[in-house]
Amino acid sequence: MNRSISRALFPAAIAILAALPAAGQAGLTLPEASPRATVSQRVGLTDIEISYHRPAVNKRKVFGELVPWKEVWRAGANENTTIQFSSPVTVEGKALEAGTYGVHMLPTEADWTVAFSKQHLAWGSFSYDEKEDAARVTVHPRPAAFEERLSYRFDDPTETSVTAVLHWEKLEVPIAIQIDTKAVALASIRDQLRGLPRFGWQGWNQAAAYSLRAETGNVEEALGWADRSIGLNENFNNLRTKAGLIELKGDAKAAAALRARALQVAREPEYNLYGYQLLAEKKYDEAIAVFRKNVKDYPASWNAYDSLAEGYATKGDKKLAAEFYGKALSMAPEAQKKRIQDAITRLKA
């Protein structure tokens, strides 16, 4: 190559080589020694998610050496372990707003401190600052079966609580979380009723029925929801919901009148469901009376005869149960015949 050309190209080559490291800074995605993981749990309407990385024991002594006592630890590996709450919660008695928090732990040979930092984008705990904590709680580790890779899980979920557990080597760290599910649900209901559900009777009735069932204490508000539902479409369901709310207020007479009205407007499936509710309450004769009325009102319904037969079978009257199962069998669609025939066979056993 001509030396003058070579000398001319040399600066350009240097420029290209100088640019290569900058272009390569993004790097490759490769398997990690401590792989990323997530675990989640819903409590009521509150979603909780923990994101973390899973280091291995790898024949090392973890607590007291790899994870020193009395030094802030990232509670995992690599960047922050984080916990996200979709609603306000209480953690070990300390209130936390909805949001995402960096999780850091201060392990000791006795109790541990768990810090929930408002800074959740840090790498590990190297820049951890106690001033950024939203809350700090004290927890009590306990011995556990050996776990090679660090893990988190959720134990004992209920409608209002769950326990988040860190497990690694031979130690578990439980963290109790509580949620005011009734308050969260009511806030959600009020928001939802600003949207499409407000235009149908079902949403208003669901809101009122939840308040009745969960005993949320907002009886007047719930009665307003029931009335909105009835105003859109009076039916068996919303009349009985309102009756239950009125009974909570102590007006048994008005509640009974509403329940009577509900039975007057009930359709076959609703009346049938009412019969099954009575069966579940072991009010067998009342349930059978309801099923008999359905048979009278809907004589062409195989399902009405099937339910009446089940009422008699539950009461223990095999003869009448077999009679009405036979009637249902003669009318039922093909997909139901085997189930009904099996019921008849069991009665004869």
Side-chain angles (χ1 to χ4, degrees), residues 76-98:
N78 303 338
E79 60 260 46
N80 268 181
T81 293
T82 64
I83 189 165
Q84 182 175 14
F85 305 105
S86 66
S87 307
V89 300
T90 302
V91 180
E92 295 287 348
K94 298 287 183 70
L96 278 175
E97 293 299 318

Side-chain angles (χ1 to χ4, degrees), residues 153-346:
R153 68 176 189 271
F154 291 103
D155 282 354
D156 306 319
T158 72
E159 290 187 358
T160 58
S161 65
V162 72
T163 300
V165 181
L166 178 151
H167 186 187
W168 197 22
E169 198 188 39
K170 294 184 178 181
L171 201 69
E172 288 184 344
V173 183
I175 306 167
I177 302 169
Q178 296 83 32
I179 295 98
D180 187 348
T181 294
K182 292 180 183 179
V184 172
L186 285 177
S188 175
I189 285 168
R190 293 174 186 128
D191 285 343
Q192 291 180 71
L193 288 175
R194 301 292 295 274
L196 287 177
R198 73 179 289 105
F199 298 108
W201 70 267
Q202 295 92 337
W204 296 103
N205 183 61
Q206 286 176 313
Y210 173 78
S211 299
L212 174 63
R213 182 176 68 255
E215 299 181 354
T216 51
N218 61 326
V219 176
E220 292 301 330
E221 181 181 34
L223 277 169
W225 292 339
D227 284 336
R228 288 290 294 269
S229 179
I230 291 168
L232 289 166
N233 178 4
E234 182 186 76
N235 57 62
F236 176 83
N237 293 302
N238 51 29
L239 286 170
R240 286 185 62 82
T241 297
K242 184 175 180 179
L245 290 165
I246 286 178
E247 194 166 54
L248 275 183
K249 293 186 68 177
D251 193 342
K253 184 177 180 180
L258 276 173
R259 290 191 177 102
R261 171 64 183 161
L263 292 176
Q264 290 173 2
V265 302
R267 296 172 299 176
E268 181 194 354
E270 296 163 340
Y271 209 65
N272 205 50
L273 177 60
Y274 175 54
Y276 280 109
Q277 290 172 349
L278 291 171
L279 270 189
E281 296 169 7
K282 298 184 178 180
K283 298 176 179 178
Y284 303 131
D285 290 335
E286 292 178 52
I288 288 169
V290 167
F291 293 139
R292 277 195 169 278
K293 183 178 185 302
N294 243 4
V295 165
K296 180 182 177 182
D297 292 345
Y298 302 96
S301 171
W302 70 268
N303 190 56
Y305 286 101
D306 184 52
S307 296
L308 179 57
E310 188 170 348
Y312 278 118
T314 304
K315 185 181 178 182
D317 190 330
K318 293 185 177 182
K319 181 180 178 181
L320 286 175
E323 177 185 337
F324 289 111
Y325 270 134
K327 181 69 173 176
L329 183 64
S330 68
M331 304 165 66
E334 195 63 36
Q336 297 292 335
K337 288 186 180 295
K338 183 179 184 306
R339 179 188 61 79
I340 297 171
Q341 183 59 63
D342 288 346
I344 294 171
T345 301
R346 285 193 299 272

Side-chain angles (χ1 to χ4, degrees), residues 36-47:
R36 185 176 181 275
T38 60
V39 61
S40 62
Q41 177 67 52
R42 172 165 282 201
V43 179
L45 292 179
T46 300
D47 291 315

